[in-house]
Amino acid sequence: MNKEIIALAMAYVKEKFENEYSGHDWFHTLRVFRAATRIAEAEGADVVTVQLAALLHDVDDRKLSPETYAEQKNARSFLAENGVEESVVCEICRIISEVSFVGSDSVVPSTLEGKCVQDADRLDAIGAIGIARAFAYGGNHNRLMYHPDIAPKLNMSREEYIKSNSTTVNHFYEKLFKLTDMMNTDTAKQISKERDAYMKAFIAEFLDEWEGRK
Ligand code: ADP
Ligand code: NI
């Protein structure tokens, strides 16, 4: 596959997400692209495949683009229009379809390249940026930051996870604190440890302030 496709995909995604502020903006894709490249190089994966899947991983997102989600129409047509052969289109679409966290129904990607992309996407959901994205998402969806009487549901199925409209603090227990143990590659495991500790310290501080312990 020709490396020029990477520059074309960058331009395509940048334009597509220009007016998107819900936590899936262009800079999210750019951070995932960079982290995925770093992980792929360290893990010996096919870098161009990983980069292309990272760039396209949100263009048919279930929430952002429900009408193209099922058939991954945006990714498929971008790749086909730019002359990518069908077997590679399938490989990239498979990686994208395996990326998402969906509670206990989340999957371990079937290829090393998929593992790199999934880890990179998850690294961007944790740490300082992960905290910021969670509260931006909560605000965007009119969610309470926290409610002391609403407990997190720790083992939701795909259906339950998708329907859930819990508080943002619960999201940390329901997804974000689980991600470090779910990282596929040693490279991402290493990076995620510090980010996980930072998020846990943040939530501990948040609850201390809330409860008047500080
Ligand atoms: P991705 O697959 O890119 O991780 P998602 O669509 O699951 O993305 O979520 C986008 C961002 O919004 C992530 O940072 C995620 O943690 C956050 N997010 C998703 N659902 C919630 C929620 N219920 N409450 C708070 N933040 C959320
Ligand atoms: Ni993403």
Side-chain angles (χ1 to χ4, degrees), residues 50-63:
V50 166
Q51 289 181 323
L52 201 45
L55 287 171
L56 296 173
H57 86 275
D58 273 339
V59 299
D60 296 297
D61 183 79
R62 179 174 47 78
K63 291 176 252 182

Side-chain angles (χ1 to χ4, degrees), residues 29-41 50 54 116-117 119-121 123-124 187 191 195:
T29 294
L30 186 59
R31 290 189 303 267
V32 173
F33 170 81
R34 288 184 178 148
T37 304
R38 177 176 167 192
I39 297 167
E41 283 170 351
V50 166
C116 296
V117 178
D119 282 359
D121 193 35
L123 281 176
D124 205 55
T187 311
I191 302 168
R195 297 189 187 190

